[in-house]
Amino acid sequence: MRISLRAALVTAAAALGLIATSVAPAQAATGYARCASGRFCVFDGQDGQGAMASYTTPQADLGTWRTKASSVYNHTGYKYFCLYSRTNYQYIDPVHDVELLDIGTNVGDNLYYYHDANSHLDNNVGSIRWAHTARQCQGGPEYLPWDSPDAGNPGTPAPFGDLNGDGNPDLLNRTYGGRLYFLRGDGTGALIGAGWNSMTALTRHGDLNGDGTEDLLARDTAGRLWMYPGNGKGWFGARRLIGGGWQVMRAFAGIGDLSGDGHDDLVVSDSSGKLWLYPGNGKGWFGARTMIGSGGWSPFTTLRGVGDITRDGHPDLLAAETQAFGQVRFYAGRAGGTIAYNGTDDYLDEGDALF
């Protein structure tokens, strides 16, 4: 029995225990409130009652507690936790084994909820693990193990979306910890580097410096815009500063050659709702910007270059409102570096994002 993404709830008894602790700090903690910060706790009674054991690291084998745990409390600070009826985080027999993927911090759960005619978790927890992501909690890697439908069937190396020049589309994946991975499309990830959470915006640009490989643009917390030149192998050379003052910019999109001069360009919206075209010069930076939208762009927090969808020789743009029922608008590229509204394609739902 596999149970995924069941939201853990604080029981009434636990809530009362927490309230009593906050109102009367001198009183001894009871129930789930006994579980110290930074720990994952198991109890031999429901609602955090009875004897308790606590852990600071995931446990591949609960030992004597394997047949005793009746309720649990996640006070680790990690969002996801997984419980297995087998040791070593194994889920082999879908009829008799139990794997619970639970979500919630500072919450408790009674294990008698998780049972069917053939399996149960109450007094039957072999191993426990917690992590920042559901993927890692279930034993997966930090990066997204993305498989491209084109993997193994390479085409001609593309100037946009092909960092290593193998003819297959690829992705960049920034994780919660700020590590940037190159995803070549075969389910593996190659670490490019750490510290990328210091960047408030990232956009793949195409070939900005004219060396035939795709580049990356990144804005840091001080508002400086950096160009990371691709090396054609899936990572980047030494970064180069393009300029400062970019903190007033809201959304970025590498759009391709919109201006028609043979160099890839950048489309940016600013905090006042204007849309600007920054023409690439083929040397790693931009020429004088041109306004291509005089206002009304503030709601569109996502801009994406999508290639030449209209097949008229000009690159096109998607603009999306990142909110529930947010519009996804399509703008067709036009000669001379302009765009024209060409319809609303769809609406985003809660939690949706476009990349």
Side-chain angles (χ1 to χ4, degrees):
M1 178 175 61
R2 173 170 275 156
I3 310 162
S4 297
L5 296 175
R6 180 183 176 95
L9 301 176
V10 181
T11 63
L16 289 172
L18 288 170
I19 293 170
T21 300
S22 61
V23 173
Q27 182 179 343
T30 61
Y32 291 134
R34 295 179 291 160
C35 187
S37 178
R39 293 178 175 270
F40 191 94
C41 299
V42 298
F43 308 85
D44 66 3
Q46 297 177 20
D47 300 324
Q49 303 301 317
M52 177 185 77
S54 65
Y55 307 96
T56 57
T57 58
Q59 298 293 302
D61 189 339
L62 281 187
T64 59
W65 273 89
R66 184 175 181 182
T67 57
K68 294 170 61 178
S70 189
S71 61
V72 299
Y73 191 81
N74 178 26
H75 208 176
T76 62
Y78 290 82
K79 185 175 182 179
Y80 296 92
F81 59 98
C82 293
L83 282 70
Y84 298 82
S85 56
R86 285 182 180 265
T87 59
N88 298 310
Y89 321 113
Q90 295 185 90
Y91 181 77
I92 300 172
D93 180 354
V95 175
H96 299 100
D97 294 349
V98 183
E99 177 193 43
L100 168 65
L101 170 61
D102 222 331
I103 179 172
T105 57
N106 303 340
V107 292
D109 214 354
N110 288 317
L111 302 185
Y112 68 79
Y113 290 120
Y114 309 111
H115 69 276
D116 59 21
N118 300 300
S119 57
H120 66 281
L121 263 185
D122 194 16
N123 298 323
N124 187 37
V125 180
S127 49
I128 54 177
R129 177 164 52 195
W130 49 92
H132 283 288
T133 64
R135 180 173 60 249
Q136 287 177 287
C137 191
Q138 294 183 303
E142 179 185 9
Y143 59 83
L144 174 69
W146 175 62
D147 288 297
S148 167
D150 295 324
N153 186 29
T156 303
F160 203 103
D162 185 9
L163 276 173
N164 62 351
D166 65 355
N168 287 320
D170 44 53
L171 293 175
L172 292 175
N173 176 205
R174 182 174 62 180
T175 67
Y176 61 89
R179 285 176 284 275
L180 191 68
Y181 286 89
F182 169 65
L183 309 182
R184 58 177 49 86
D186 61 359
T188 65
L191 180 64
I192 292 175
W196 288 83
N197 276 347
S198 63
M199 299 299 175
T200 59
L202 296 170
T203 183
R204 292 172 67 165
H205 186 274
D207 183 15
L208 182 60
N209 62 357
D211 65 356
T213 60
E214 187 181 6
D215 307 316
L216 178 70
L217 291 174
R219 181 185 62 190
D220 65 22
T221 53
R224 294 171 297 190
L225 189 67
W226 300 89
M227 192 271 282
Y228 289 80
N231 61 6
K233 300 177 182 178
W235 60 95
F236 305 97
R239 69 181 185 177
R240 303 169 189 172
L241 180 65
I242 291 179
W246 287 78
Q247 64 268 28
V248 300
M249 300 304 178
R250 185 174 178 84
F252 296 73
I255 194 173
D257 183 17
L258 183 61
S259 62
D261 63 357
H263 305 303
D264 288 335
D265 307 320
L266 182 69
V267 171
V268 182
S269 63
D270 65 21
S271 55
S272 68
K274 297 181 177 66
L275 190 70
W276 300 90
L277 172 68
Y278 285 80
N281 62 7
K283 301 176 183 180
W285 59 93
F286 302 100
R289 69 181 185 176
T290 302
M291 185 189 302
I292 58 174
S294 59
W297 287 85
S298 293
F300 298 96
T301 54
T302 298
L303 300 176
R304 292 290 176 260
V306 290
D308 183 14
I309 292 180
T310 57
R311 299 190 182 281
D312 62 357
H314 306 294
D316 305 316
L317 179 73
L318 280 183
E321 297 175 297
T322 310
Q323 61 186 33
F325 307 110
Q327 297 182 64
V328 180
R329 291 187 175 185
F330 175 66
Y331 291 84
R334 293 288 185 259
T338 62
I339 57 173
Y341 175 65
N342 201 22
T344 298
D345 285 357
D346 212 331
Y347 295 88
L348 298 183
D349 208 337
E350 190 73 33
D352 287 341
L354 295 176
F355 297 97

